[in-house]
Amino acid sequence: MSDSPTRYAFTSRLLHWAMAILVIAQLFLGVAMVASLDAYHLLRTVHQPLGFAILVLAVVRIGNRVLHRPPPSAGMRPAERMVATGSEYLLYGLLVLQPVTGWAMLSAGGFPIALTAQLSLPAIAPRDPDLYSVLRQFHTVLGYLLFAAFTAHLCAILFHTFVLRDRILGRMTMGRRPRPAQPPQRQDQEFRVS
């Protein structure tokens, strides 16, 4: 079964859902790190490689986006399409900036960035306590912005799915091809008496 032209390419859908899972996990980890000082170091050992995985997947996803154009957004007005495209670019930017900022922050603090017990990332910023402080604040602000952008994206999909019922979610699902949306039934049809 081939993909419908109204759906994203399979690789796009796979990357989308993989990143969604990782970003949700990372957001929960970030909140848990702030809320639980006792488990901070343990949570950070998961947070760092997960952030690097998100960065790698974001770069791969941007490359995939260049190679696989999205399907046409039928039924969207030009202003809606512009907002959707702008929010998509914002999410892509945040998914790259947030992990890079975290990497630079830890580099400036002189903390090793361990991906595994044997593999660490090189520093990408000079060791500087003032720079560390600025980057830490920036990393926090970007985290809130990413949470807001992710929530707005989710709300838009829920609105399209449950209010507009335009089956836009079907463009990104992994299952079988969605059925085409049926045109709404006209309520003003006249009754004919034979």
Side-chain angles (χ1 to χ4, degrees):
M1 174 181 359
S2 64
D3 285 338
S4 161
T6 60
R7 293 182 89 185
Y8 281 85
F10 176 76
T11 52
S12 301
R13 288 180 278 142
L14 185 64
L15 287 166
H16 175 271
W17 292 111
M19 288 204 65
I21 292 166
L22 292 180
V23 168
I24 290 169
Q26 192 71 310
L27 289 171
F28 278 111
L29 271 172
V31 170
M33 286 172 64
V34 172
S36 172
L37 295 178
D38 293 339
Y40 178 81
H41 295 293
L42 174 64
L43 294 171
R44 193 174 80 178
T45 62
V46 178
H47 188 77
Q48 291 174 357
L50 192 55
F52 186 70
I54 289 171
L55 174 61
V56 169
L57 278 178
V59 170
V60 169
R61 191 167 175 201
I62 290 168
N64 181 72
R65 175 71 160 72
V66 170
L67 295 174
H68 302 282
R69 302 306 298 167
S73 39
M76 283 184 139
R77 295 183 190 121
E80 290 173 323
R81 197 172 305 118
M82 191 169 65
V83 168
T85 302
S87 65
E88 181 183 11
Y89 290 155
L90 174 65
L91 274 170
Y92 282 141
L94 289 170
L95 290 170
V96 170
L97 264 178
Q98 179 69 347
V100 168
T101 303
W103 185 358
M105 173 189 73
L106 291 174
S107 298
F111 301 109
I113 303 157
L115 298 180
T116 66
Q118 296 82 22
L119 180 63
S120 292
L121 293 175
I124 60 169
R127 193 168 179 170
D128 180 348
D130 293 331
L131 180 59
Y132 171 79
S133 178
V134 169
L135 289 171
R136 185 178 174 113
Q137 290 175 354
F138 192 52
H139 190 65
T140 301
V141 168
L142 287 177
Y144 285 122
L145 189 55
L146 179 58
F147 177 75
F150 185 84
T151 302
H153 178 70
L154 182 61
C155 289
I157 291 301
L158 292 173
F159 178 75
H160 277 272
T161 301
F162 296 112
V163 177
L164 299 180
R165 297 176 186 246
D166 58 8
R167 300 189 183 181
I168 200 166
L169 181 60
R171 296 166 14 126
M172 193 54 83
T173 56
M174 295 301 291
R176 294 175 15 183
R177 267 191 282 181
R179 292 172 300 176
Q182 298 295 324
Q185 296 287 335
R186 290 193 52 143
Q187 299 293 346
D188 60 343
Q189 292 178 345
E190 294 179 18
F191 291 101
R192 294 188 179 186
V193 179
S194 324

